Structures are given as structure tokens and as C-alpha cells.
Amino acid sequence: MSSIERVDGGKGDEENQPKVLSMFVDEMLDQMQSKFTTMGDSIMGRMNKMGTRMDELETSIGDLMGQAGLEPPPPSTPPSPKANKEQQTRRISI
């Protein structure tokens, strides 16, 4: 007995098998989509929590540095390509 016949309730009907198989595949795809959506939402929620915790940690570190009389470092931003070129030019000309 094939799996299609078992899903079909034992009707070995040749005409009904493609329809049953199609319904089975559609149901499996729907289940997979649902699980994927749930997992994606869970991951995004965890990432948002992590971002919030990192922001809180950064604020706490800044507060501690202020209490210790240290100046917090400026926020790190990647240098622009123009700044990189200027730095390279200075290194060469020195």
C-alpha cells in the first residue's frame, strides 16, 4: 500500500491520487510557511531585545565613565572613503 493510498483512506483510485497528493503537498507547504513565520518572528524579537540590552549597557557604561570623571569615547562611525584617502596621503607625504 503506497503512502498516497493511506492518505486517501485506502481508495486506490487513479484519478483521485493526484488531487490527494496535491492537497497533501499544499498542507505541508502551509505548515512549513507557518513554522518559518513563527521562527522568523521569534528571531526578530530576540534581536530587538538584544539591541535594547546593548543600548542599556552602552548607557550604563557612559554613566559609569561620567561618574569616574572620564569622558566617554565618541560614537564609532566608519571613516568615509575621502578620509581614508587623506590619511593615506598624509602617511605617504610624511
Side-chain angles (χ1 to χ4, degrees):
M1 184 185 316
S2 72
S3 61
I4 294 174
E5 290 173 343
R6 276 185 253 136
V7 171
D8 191 24
K11 300 177 182 176
D13 210 24
E14 294 278 333
E15 294 175 9
N16 203 19
Q17 285 181 358
K19 188 185 299 182
V20 171
L21 181 59
S22 176
M23 288 173 28
F24 177 76
V25 169
D26 285 343
E27 184 178 331
M28 291 299 292
L29 290 173
D30 288 343
Q31 289 175 1
M32 289 174 60
Q33 178 67 36
S34 175
K35 287 180 182 182
F36 181 79
T37 300
T38 301
M39 288 175 60
D41 291 344
S42 174
I43 291 169
M44 290 302 293
R46 290 178 183 181
M47 288 177 65
N48 287 336
K49 281 183 184 178
M50 188 185 314
T52 300
R53 290 175 70 187
M54 289 175 66
D55 290 343
E56 291 170 356
L57 180 60
E58 185 178 359
T59 300
S60 295
I61 291 171
D63 291 345
L64 288 172
M65 291 179 76
Q67 290 173 3
L70 302 173
E71 197 173 304
S76 62
T77 56
S80 67
K82 183 178 179 182
N84 281 339
K85 190 173 185 177
E86 288 174 4
Q87 286 177 345
Q88 289 174 354
T89 305
R90 284 186 212 146
R91 287 183 195 155
I92 293 170
S93 62
I94 293 177

